[in-house]
Amino acid sequence: PPGHAPRELVLDVVVERKAAADLGNSLCDGRYREQKFRLARCGLRWPIYLLEKPGRGQRLPFPLRVLQQAAASTQVVDNFLVKWTEGPQASALFLRVLGEELQRRYGVGG
């Protein structure tokens, strides 16, 4: 209605998506540590790292096991939800399902 402020809802979920190569590069230059620090302190309860596995033959800055160890540490030590997907399409599906669950839970959206 006119004269009323729009109703807003801030959810406690934040998602950081990274392809395997991006994760490796972030580890190399220190961005990963800073990003985790900022996400952990942003005030939202459910930080999620959405990580995409490398494609066949894709070159990575580190072996996949190093990336998996970094992700496991992020989950166990930093208390993030870490979700590995098979690639961009699977990530999009995860985000769609997450969005549907948030709509169901909070009764928002179309």
Side-chain angles (χ1 to χ4, degrees), residues 7 10 12 15 18 26 32 46 59 65-66 72 88 92 94 100 104 106-107:
R7 190 169 159 221
V10 177
D12 269 351
V15 179
K18 286 191 178 293
S26 293
Y32 185 66
W46 297 306
R59 295 182 52 94
R65 72 182 189 292
V66 172
F94 173 82
E100 289 169 355
R104 185 190 66 74
Y106 294 104

Side-chain angles (χ1 to χ4, degrees), residues 2-3 9 24-25 28 30 38 42 47 51 57 60 62 77 87 89 93-94 97 100:
L9 175 66
N25 291 331
C28 284
R38 281 187 285 117
C42 73
L51 304 174
L60 299 173
F62 293 107
V77 175
Q89 288 182 326
L93 176 61
F94 173 82
V97 171
E100 289 169 355

Side-chain angles (χ1 to χ4, degrees), residues 41-108:
R41 283 154 185 79
C42 73
L44 300 179
R45 291 186 294 181
W46 297 306
I48 300 171
Y49 258 105
L50 182 57
L51 304 174
E52 295 171 357
K53 295 178 183 175
R56 187 176 301 248
Q58 182 180 5
R59 295 182 52 94
L60 299 173
F62 293 107
L64 182 57
R65 72 182 189 292
V66 172
L67 303 181
Q68 291 168 329
Q69 179 59 45
S73 174
T74 298
Q75 185 161 354
V76 173
V77 175
D78 300 306
N79 205 31
F80 282 48
L81 171 64
V82 175
K83 171 70 175 163
W84 284 94
T85 68
E86 295 297 325
Q89 288 182 326
S91 292
L93 176 61
F94 173 82
L95 291 171
R96 189 184 93 211
V97 171
L98 175 63
E100 289 169 355
E101 174 58 24
L102 291 171
Q103 287 177 354
R104 185 190 66 74
R105 182 173 292 181
Y106 294 104
V108 297

